Structures are given as C-alpha cells and as structure tokens.
Amino acid sequence: MEELLNVISSSVGSLTNPLNLSNTFASVKHRPISANTISLYLDYFKDAFLIDSAVRYNIRAKSTSARP
C-alpha cells in the first residue's frame, strides 16, 4: 500500500486510473497487482482522507466528465 501511495503522490495532477496503476506496478515495480485490488486500496485511501478524486472539467463544454 505504501508503494501505491508513493506512485500516486508522484503523479499529482496527472490523470490516472486503477488499470494504469496496475500496469505501472507490473512494468516498473515487477509486482503484478490487479486493477480491482488497486481500486480497493484507493477506496481505503479515500476513506482515510489521504487522497481525494477530482472530476475532469471541460472548459469548452462547461461540464464535468467522469472519465479520467
């Protein structure tokens, strides 16, 4: 979990999702972690107020998007 928090902290401002994080762990850390597990960990971090998600805002359409 600590490594995941470090990876997230190093990419502040970048769009990401559990699948991208899973691929990062598989290629860089050589530790396969499923996207579902990462999603659970992210929920734990949110519940502990360590991170928060942000919605993407489209300036031209003046709307939010749920996609990263």
Side-chain angles (χ1 to χ4, degrees), residues 21-64:
L21 293 169
S22 176
N23 292 339
T24 298
F25 271 90
S27 64
V28 176
K29 303 286 186 181
H30 304 291
R31 296 180 64 194
I33 302 175
S34 73
N36 289 335
T37 301
I38 289 180
S39 183
L40 285 174
Y41 287 167
L42 293 176
D43 288 339
Y44 295 151
F45 292 153
K46 288 178 192 176
D47 291 343
F49 301 103
L50 296 173
I51 64 169
D52 198 5
S53 59
V55 293
R56 186 175 183 181
Y57 186 76
N58 186 342
I59 294 173
R60 291 184 184 153
K62 295 185 179 179
S63 64
T64 58

